[in-house]
Amino acid sequence: MAVKIRLARFGKANAPFYNIVVANARTARNSKPLEVLGTYDPIPKPPPFGQGKPFKEIKLDTARAKYWLGVGAQPSDPVWRLLAMVGLIEPKYSIIQAQQQKPKPTMTSSRPIDAAAANA
């Protein structure tokens, strides 16, 4: 049985709220999960005491998340990013890797250049 850690959407229109869930990979997004690991609120909240930047709230049971990762549950890309923020797994992509893997444009043409046409 393939198991995934993914986000299940709740909340109203234009006000999303997500549960971080462990579910069978072949079930629908909002079907009943095997376990709820935590919540993620992507709407920025004002900082406490009015100082600092707004933050997005992530609540996660790290012990259970480590367990599910240990038994082979595959996190989806958004969950991978959240787990990397918490420090449970290595980030999938970093800025340095993205810059190194960016292909450099080349000035080659698929047609051979004819010397007579170039001089004309």
Side-chain angles (χ1 to χ4, degrees), residues 20 58 60 65 69 75-94:
I20 303 169
I58 303 170
L60 183 66
L69 289 170
S76 65
D77 288 341
V79 172
W80 190 297
R81 184 178 54 82
L82 293 174
L83 293 176
M85 284 175 158
V86 174
L88 291 180
I89 56 178
E90 290 292 321
K92 199 178 242 189
Y93 306 106
S94 68

Side-chain angles (χ1 to χ4, degrees), residues 39-116:
T39 60
Y40 169 58
D41 189 1
I43 308 295
K45 303 282 186 251
F49 311 114
Q51 297 195 3
K53 294 177 8 181
F55 65 96
K56 298 177 181 180
E57 188 173 2
I58 303 170
K59 293 181 182 176
L60 183 66
D61 184 354
T62 55
R64 293 304 293 168
K66 285 181 185 177
Y67 166 78
W68 282 107
L69 289 170
V71 297
Q74 296 295 314
S76 65
D77 288 341
V79 172
W80 190 297
R81 184 178 54 82
L82 293 174
L83 293 176
M85 284 175 158
V86 174
L88 291 180
I89 56 178
E90 290 292 321
K92 199 178 242 189
Y93 306 106
S94 68
I95 296 171
I96 296 169
Q97 286 177 341
Q99 290 173 349
Q100 290 174 351
Q101 293 177 355
K102 188 181 286 187
K104 295 181 180 179
T106 58
M107 299 296 284
T108 60
S109 176
S110 61
R111 300 183 305 163
I113 298 176
D114 185 19

Side-chain angles (χ1 to χ4, degrees), residues 4-12 15-24 27-42 76 78-79 82:
K4 286 191 97 56
I5 303 174
R6 60 185 179 198
L7 298 176
R9 190 180 196 279
F10 292 94
K12 301 183 290 188
F17 185 80
Y18 297 94
N19 277 350
I20 303 169
V21 299
V22 177
N24 189 347
T27 60
R29 179 189 69 183
N30 287 338
S31 63
K32 186 173 181 183
L34 298 173
E35 184 175 352
V36 177
L37 298 178
T39 60
Y40 169 58
D41 189 1
S76 65
V79 172
L82 293 174

